[in-house]
Amino acid sequence: MKVKVVDIDVIFDNFLVKYINENKGKFTEKQWEEKIPVLYLEFGSTPIEELGGIAPENYYSGLSGKELADLLKEHVEQDVPVSDFLCEALIASDCEKYVIDFIDGAHSEELIFYSINILSDKHSTAAFDRYFEMLLDDKTSEDLKELLAEKLATFPEQSKEKALALYEKAGSSAIYFLEIFSLCKHDDRILKILTTELKNNLNDIPLYLTYVTRYGDEKALPTLLEVIAMPTINYVDFRELKFAIELFGGEYKEKRDFSNDIYYKRVKGSKDETSGN
């Protein structure tokens, strides 16, 4: 079975304009905002002339997973918006192995984004090997790397062993692996990576501390106490570390002098202005 590539979103826009013109003055602005989602559902079940008299929600019925995947590719290649109805049909189909083929450097980023999100909505981990390959590829954009890491981190335990095996060769992508690690169950291998990264990135303590605190293993306390004692840390880092230490049930009592610290002066000055002192 073959269906045409159709911009269903444009058809809905026309449907909506017609409805608005026929019902001018009947609803407030807020009521219109609430009504649009209801109208979209109504539109979905309404036979549409541009679709050959078929309702949008049934337009893709009967297509195989491969046919739907090919149709998705055609939409992207022809710069035609991909409707919710096509996405829903893909999610309900057996399209996995076909959309996985789109996740590589040979296809457009837009098609890759759609494919990843469709697999995510299917709660599928089938493409995770591809995700790691693209995460390690220097040609992959930062936006795409963020999405890949987000999806891998959705299933941290399923991603963990592969991430551990590839971490040493991750290079500039190592930061995305930390996102995955920080959501895993406690594992001394991961604890070592997260605490080592914190100590190796003292110029960006708040970011790397986030991964340690999210991981939530109190065995990180010795490292936190080691870092907070360093004379080179600034006032903001000190406050972040002290809070993390207390969060893990620890305590840091040493008095520190930050009177010459630029961040301390800014915080102090801001407080003085607020209080009128």
Side-chain angles (χ1 to χ4, degrees):
M1 178 181 175
K2 179 72 174 175
V3 300
K4 295 187 300 181
V5 173
V6 181
D7 190 342
I8 293 181
D9 289 347
V10 165
I11 299 174
F12 173 67
D13 289 343
N14 296 333
F15 176 90
L16 183 60
V17 168
K18 181 182 177 183
Y19 187 91
I20 290 173
N21 288 334
E22 291 174 349
N23 293 273
K24 282 183 177 178
K26 292 184 179 180
F27 306 103
T28 65
E29 183 176 345
K30 182 171 178 56
Q31 286 173 326
W32 274 118
E33 290 176 2
E34 295 171 346
K35 194 163 186 63
I36 288 175
V38 177
L39 287 172
Y40 192 73
L41 289 174
E42 181 182 327
F43 167 74
S45 60
T46 302
I48 303 295
E49 182 180 346
E50 295 94 321
L51 300 180
I54 300 173
E57 65 184 16
N58 297 322
Y59 186 61
Y60 303 105
S61 297
L63 294 181
S64 68
K66 184 179 187 314
E67 289 171 325
L68 288 166
D70 289 342
L71 199 56
L72 170 67
K73 184 180 179 183
E74 288 181 56
H75 273 73
V76 173
E77 290 177 343
Q78 296 178 30
D79 201 25
V80 176
V82 178
S83 72
D84 289 347
F85 300 103
L86 177 52
C87 288
E88 287 166 5
L90 280 157
I91 292 165
S93 76
D94 60 346
C95 69
E96 271 182 314
K97 64 181 179 180
Y98 306 109
V99 296
I100 288 173
D101 286 342
F102 300 150
I103 304 173
D104 58 29
H107 292 88
S108 72
E109 190 167 279
E110 182 181 3
L111 182 56
I112 295 171
F113 267 86
Y114 272 118
S115 300
I116 291 171
N117 283 316
I118 286 164
L119 289 169
S120 176
D121 287 338
K122 290 174 72 66
H123 307 291
S124 171
T125 62
F128 275 18
D129 284 348
R130 290 284 182 97
Y131 293 3
F132 277 112
E133 287 174 17
M134 296 207 72
L135 202 53
L136 293 175
D137 189 341
D138 291 337
K139 295 178 183 177
T140 303
S141 73
E142 294 303 315
D143 285 344
L144 183 49
K145 284 186 178 183
E146 287 180 8
L147 180 64
L148 291 164
E150 175 192 323
K151 300 310 179 186
L152 288 166
T154 303
F155 295 92
E157 291 304 309
Q158 289 91 327
S159 305
K160 181 176 76 172
E161 292 303 328
K162 183 85 171 182
L164 284 167
L166 295 174
Y167 171 72
E168 291 298 330
K169 61 177 78 171
S172 61
S173 295
I175 191 73
Y176 298 106
F177 283 66
L178 302 187
E179 184 73 25
I180 300 166
F181 292 146
S182 69
L183 294 168
C184 290
K185 295 177 182 177
H186 293 177
D187 183 318
D188 286 345
R189 295 172 297 171
I190 289 177
L191 178 65
K192 183 178 179 180
I193 289 172
L194 295 179
T195 53
T196 299
E197 286 284 4
L198 174 63
K199 288 193 290 183
N200 289 343
N201 290 278
L202 298 178
N203 60 330
D204 202 356
I205 285 176
L207 173 61
Y208 289 86
L209 184 60
T210 297
Y211 298 123
V212 175
T213 53
R214 184 187 297 153
Y215 189 59
D217 191 339
E218 63 184 21
K219 286 190 285 187
L221 262 175
T223 298
L224 300 184
L225 290 166
E226 177 187 346
V227 174
I228 200 173
M230 293 179 178
T232 54
I233 67 168
N234 63 49
Y235 180 62
V236 172
D237 292 345
F238 174 80
R239 290 176 61 181
E240 295 271 358
L241 285 159
K242 193 170 187 298
F243 177 77
I245 288 167
E246 292 169 353
L247 187 68
F248 283 127
E251 191 174 21
Y252 181 77
K253 293 183 176 181
E254 297 296 321
K255 297 293 183 181
R256 298 286 292 273
D257 181 10
F258 289 100
S259 57
N260 292 320
D261 182 275
I262 186 172
Y263 298 104
Y264 176 81
K265 290 177 180 178
R266 287 177 183 173
V267 172
K268 181 66 175 174
S270 174
K271 287 182 177 179
D272 287 346
E273 288 176 14
T274 303
S275 64
N277 294 330

